[in-house]
């Protein structure tokens, strides 16, 4: 509790600071992409004092949250701003805990927490078996419970197959033309469903899709 002297301007200023550093209402969202765990967060700067700072933190091996990046506002802005940051220091199959912290002078807010399990994007190899038969070979993704295989025609999913294995696997299908592609992402189902970015292979190239 803060005791306020009605004649003290500095005390009143401190009370305002405490009021303005309450945790923000925006949810901390994250997803796996090809480089790591990516976060999207929106800061409503008009709810904060001019001196407030907003940080993304990650829990370290000792159980303490460390600041890994500051979400800096544009000069003198009073609008909402959206930020994107990718934590690349992650390993496939491991859980991580993150939090948003707001600091203003010597005061700081409670954390707004979220957790993430990183799954590496599958590595695929495409082999032509015959004129219209193709085999996809997928390397093991550490920490995955299984894989989802999608067949795309003209960019739209036309078939989905769940592969219930944590090991490397292969999948054979009928190729129906140059606009017929195969994509694979890894998943872990317990206790929350997590998924990797999806690797999609074509006859001559590959591209990636993320679930944001």
């Amino acid at each position: 509790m803060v005791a306020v002297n009605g004649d003290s301007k500095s005390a009143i200023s401190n009370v305002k600071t405490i009021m303005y550093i309450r945790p923000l209402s925006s949810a901390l969202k994250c997803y796996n992409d090809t480089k790591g765990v990516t976060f999207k967060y929106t800061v409503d700067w008009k709810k904060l004092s001019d001196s407030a700072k907003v940080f993304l933190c990650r829990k370290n091996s000792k159980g303490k949250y460390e600041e890994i990046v500051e979400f800096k506002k544009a000069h003198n802005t009073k609008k909402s701003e959206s930020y994107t940051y990718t934590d690349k220091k992650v390993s496939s199959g491991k859980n991580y805990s993150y939090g948003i912290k707001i600091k203003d002078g010597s005061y700081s807010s409670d954390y707004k927490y979220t957790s993430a399990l990183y799954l590496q994007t599958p590595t695929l190899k495409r082999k032509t078996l015959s004129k219209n038969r193709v085999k996809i070979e997928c390397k093991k993704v550490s920490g995955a419970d299984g894989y989802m295989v999608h067949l795309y025609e003209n960019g739209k999913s036309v078939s989905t197959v769940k592969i219930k294995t944590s090991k490397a696997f292969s999948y054979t299908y009928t190729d129906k033309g140059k606009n017929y592609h195969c994509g694979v992402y890894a998943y872990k189902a317990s206790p929350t469903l997590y998924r990797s970015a999806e690797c999609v292979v074509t006859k001559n190239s590959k591209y990636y899709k993320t679930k944001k």
Side-chain angles (χ1 to χ4, degrees):
M1 179 178 293
V2 177
V4 179
N5 183 336
D7 296 325
S8 172
K9 292 183 179 180
S10 61
I12 294 174
S13 176
N14 284 339
V15 172
K16 288 183 178 179
T17 299
I18 295 171
M19 290 172 60
Y20 276 111
I21 62 171
R22 62 189 182 278
L24 302 185
S25 58
S26 174
L28 178 59
K29 299 179 180 180
C30 65
Y31 57 90
N32 289 325
D33 67 13
T34 57
K35 296 181 179 180
V37 180
T38 295
F39 293 85
K40 299 192 76 174
Y41 191 70
T42 299
V43 179
D44 189 354
W45 290 107
K46 67 177 177 289
K47 293 183 179 179
L48 300 173
S49 66
D50 292 338
S51 58
K53 296 182 178 181
V54 180
F55 297 90
L56 174 66
C57 305
R58 190 175 89 168
K59 185 184 287 187
N60 61 24
S61 58
K62 297 180 180 179
K64 294 184 178 181
Y65 281 86
E66 296 178 329
E67 298 166 4
I68 57 176
V69 67
E70 179 184 353
F71 294 147
K72 295 184 178 181
K73 67 177 177 179
H75 183 63
N76 290 330
T77 186
K78 285 294 183 181
K79 300 179 181 179
S80 295
E81 289 186 294
S82 295
Y83 301 85
T84 301
Y85 176 80
T86 300
D87 183 8
K88 300 178 182 179
K89 296 181 179 180
V90 290
S91 299
S92 187
K94 291 189 176 182
N95 284 287
Y96 298 91
S97 294
Y98 298 88
I100 288 291
K101 181 172 69 175
I102 306 166
K103 296 174 68 175
D104 197 337
S106 59
Y107 300 101
S108 62
S109 71
D110 294 331
Y111 289 99
K112 180 179 285 294
Y113 300 100
T114 193
S115 60
L117 185 141
Y118 177 64
L119 290 173
Q120 182 181 354
T121 307
T123 300
L124 306 182
K125 187 174 183 180
R126 186 183 189 275
K127 291 185 176 181
T128 300
L129 302 179
S130 62
K131 183 178 180 180
N132 62 351
R133 294 292 287 172
V134 173
K135 181 169 74 171
I136 297 296
E137 295 179 345
C138 177
K139 291 185 177 181
K140 171 184 171 68
V141 173
S142 296
D145 290 335
Y147 305 84
M148 296 296 293
V149 178
H150 288 277
L151 295 179
Y152 295 97
E153 188 169 18
N154 296 317
K156 295 182 179 180
S157 178
V158 294
S159 178
T160 302
V161 178
K162 180 181 286 188
I163 307 295
K164 295 182 179 180
T165 181
S166 59
K167 301 178 181 180
F169 72 95
S170 63
Y171 180 77
T172 303
Y173 66 96
T174 300
D175 187 3
K176 298 182 179 180
K178 65 179 182 179
N179 294 321
Y180 205 76
H181 306 151
C182 181
V184 178
Y185 69 80
Y187 71 86
K188 188 171 182 64
S190 179
T192 303
L193 179 63
Y194 294 97
R195 56 169 289 177
S196 70
E198 183 176 5
C199 179
V200 183
V201 289
T202 69
K203 185 175 181 179
N204 299 310
S205 63
K206 66 180 64 175
Y207 61 93
Y208 302 95
K209 301 175 70 174
T210 56
K211 178 72 173 179
K212 299 181 181 180

